[in-house]
Amino acid sequence: MTELLIRGAKQVVTLAGPARPRLKQEMRELSIIEDGAVLTRDEQIVAVGKQNEVRNLASPLAEQIDAGGCVVMPGFVDAHTHPVYAGTREDEYEMRAEGYTYQQIAERGGGILSTVRKTRAASEDELFELAIPRLRLMLEHGTTTAEAKSGYGLSVEDELKILRVIRRLDESQEIDLVPTFLGAHEVPEEYRASREDYLDLVTKEMLPAVASQKLARYADVFCETRIFSVEEARRVLSRAATLGLGLRAHVEQLSLSGGAELCAQLKAASADHLEWVDDDGVNALQRSGVIALLLPGAVFNLGLVQYAPARKLIDAGVPVGLATAFNPGSSPTPSMQLVMSIACAQMKMTPAEAVSASTINPAYSLGLGASIGSIEPGKRADIVVYDCADYRQIPYLFGVNHASTVIKGGRVVYVRRS
Ligand code: NIG
């Protein structure tokens, strides 16, 4: 038995509360314990409370972490990432600075398809090695669970290759990964003249192979003007549902298409992006309880101005989450801390709402709300110590990594060198 006592915390931000996603005002209720401590035993949290009470429960042999004056929070749950790919796209970053848009770059052969070309050319081992430092960076910034999508293969063989890499990564590094199949991320070059055939390939070959090999828990689709229409997305997601996969979708990112309503109709686990969602879409999400996963890092990095209407979504009672969308094009950041900063400054979320949206709500979007996302007895000991005295400093003092110690499953997996 291994015990760990995290003691002396200025604030333990527990997020203890109802066993469901947090809505409206609940997103501001973080259940903070001042002068707190957390006791973990093996992989689980066994006690959290005032330090003098929790201390008495620890065995004399417990390993101790001095969190004196610091903030202690549950690990971030980053529920939208694309971490397995080859190559980088700083050339496109420079082009955007020169005035080209994301869509113009894609029309010139850049964008998702440029990463597809490089990813297809890479071996499984190469992709595995390339992803390790990316996940390490995420961990060092406080992320302890992440969803991970395929989507840069776009052939049966290459999509399965990426999903196998995600499985190996999940087994071999510290962050828990939840795999998502995104074969409908784009129409690949060789199917440009026959997109129907590509949809057949996705629904009749890729999805059955992914499901039978149990390589993904969710299926996703990029529903967007000039990518996949609402009806095409419906076809992919409906087929995925019949094969037992949960559903997520990129919707209303660059234009309004009605994808939010589709997510509501299909009872998707999350509707992601939503920059252009309208009132009908907001109401449909609210009625269905679909979690809105907002990705403001992509808006910021693409130099756009249309952020998702976070205030409207929260005030309407839609459960809201935040994610990095970590990928080589629109959002190459591993940092949920930075995403919180952008969410507060640009979408007018309060720091407390941003914390709920980065922990407990995305945990529920991945079906993991009962085991992660808050610091409560019985939950997995995924805990991060931040080198600041108030949780609001995490988004406020932006552009730096506040995480000083990361604990995954009761084990210290990162300590910042001073
Ligand atoms: O979530 N929008 C689609 N997918 C990613 C971008 C992928 C890329 O540009 O390579 C996103 O922003």
Side-chain angles (χ1 to χ4, degrees), residues 150-151 154 159 181-186 188 198 202 206 220 228:
S150 65
L154 310 188
E159 284 295 306
F181 166 67
L182 179 54
H185 196 191
E186 242 299 11
Y198 186 62
V202 171
M206 290 187 196
D220 193 342
F228 292 102

Side-chain angles (χ1 to χ4, degrees), residues 18-336:
R20 55 166 174 72
R22 307 298 154 78
L23 305 172
K24 294 188 171 181
Q25 178 62 25
E26 291 168 352
M27 289 187 70
R28 298 184 185 211
E29 291 160 13
L30 301 181
S31 301
I32 295 174
I33 299 169
E34 306 273 344
D35 298 318
V38 185
L39 179 65
T40 74
R41 197 165 290 146
D42 296 329
E43 299 199 341
Q44 284 200 332
I45 296 163
V46 289
V48 51
K50 286 282 185 195
Q51 110 145 308
N52 46 4
E53 295 159 12
V54 175
R55 223 181 197 158
N56 294 335
L57 304 171
S59 86
L61 294 177
E63 185 187 339
Q64 300 206 10
I65 292 179
D66 180 4
C70 293
V71 170
V72 171
M73 293 214 305
F76 290 128
V77 180
D78 189 350
H80 182 132
T81 84
H82 308 245
V84 178
Y85 59 84
T88 49
R89 307 214 312 250
E90 58 276 9
D91 52 338
E92 296 180 10
Y93 184 74
E94 185 174 38
M95 284 173 80
R96 285 199 299 278
E98 287 167 347
Y100 291 95
T101 66
Y102 184 68
Q103 292 98 315
Q104 285 168 337
I105 293 168
E107 280 155 20
R108 285 170 165 71
I112 293 169
L113 291 182
S114 78
T115 298
V116 168
R117 286 191 286 278
K118 293 172 204 150
T119 305
R120 284 179 173 179
S123 70
E124 208 164 307
D125 285 345
E126 284 165 344
L127 290 173
F128 177 81
E129 292 301 331
L130 285 167
I132 292 276
R134 295 172 192 150
L135 294 171
R136 185 70 202 169
L137 269 178
M138 287 165 72
L139 183 81
E140 291 178 2
H141 284 79
T143 297
T144 47
T145 299
E147 181 260 17
K149 301 177 196 294
S150 65
Y152 291 119
L154 310 188
S155 70
V156 178
E157 188 192 319
D158 291 301
E159 284 295 306
L160 295 181
K161 173 176 78 176
I162 295 170
L163 289 170
R164 282 195 300 271
V165 171
I166 293 171
R167 180 152 70 189
R168 271 175 70 190
L169 290 164
D170 180 44
E171 288 163 0
S172 59
Q173 54 74 58
E174 283 94 356
I175 298 185
D176 281 326
L177 296 179
V178 177
T180 294
F181 166 67
L182 179 54
H185 196 191
E186 242 299 11
V187 178
E189 270 149 354
E190 64 277 18
Y191 282 93
R192 283 287 154 135
S194 54
R195 54 189 297 123
E196 270 301 304
D197 292 343
Y198 186 62
L199 283 161
D200 277 349
L201 188 74
V202 171
T203 52
K204 295 183 181 155
E205 292 188 44
M206 290 187 196
L207 273 168
V210 168
S212 69
Q213 294 174 44
K214 298 198 184 330
L215 281 168
R217 222 178 285 171
Y218 292 94
D220 193 342
V221 57
F222 188 10
C223 178
E224 178 62 50
T225 314
R226 286 199 291 275
I227 311 283
F228 292 102
S229 69
V230 169
E231 282 322 306
E232 289 169 338
R234 184 192 303 279
R235 194 168 137 196
V236 172
L237 295 176
S238 303
R239 178 75 181 122
T242 63
L243 292 164
L245 294 168
L247 310 179
R248 328 183 74 78
H250 292 61
V251 290
E252 332 288 24
Q253 179 182 6
L254 304 165
S255 60
L256 175 68
S257 65
E261 282 93 331
L262 177 70
C263 289
Q265 286 158 17
L266 298 180
K267 299 259 176 292
S270 70
D272 301 27
H273 275 294
L274 295 168
E275 286 83 347
W276 289 88
V277 71
D278 63 1
D279 288 351
D280 290 342
V282 172
N283 292 335
L285 293 174
Q286 187 276 326
R287 282 193 301 272
S288 62
V290 173
I291 295 185
L293 272 185
L294 312 184
L295 313 170
V299 184
F300 169 79
N301 186 57
L302 293 179
L304 302 174
V305 291
Q306 179 86 9
Y307 284 88
R311 277 266 55 85
K312 194 179 263 190
L313 287 157
I314 293 171
D315 295 344
V318 177
V320 167
L322 291 167
T324 59
F326 179 77
N327 73 73
S330 69
S331 190
T333 180
S335 174
M336 286 295 293

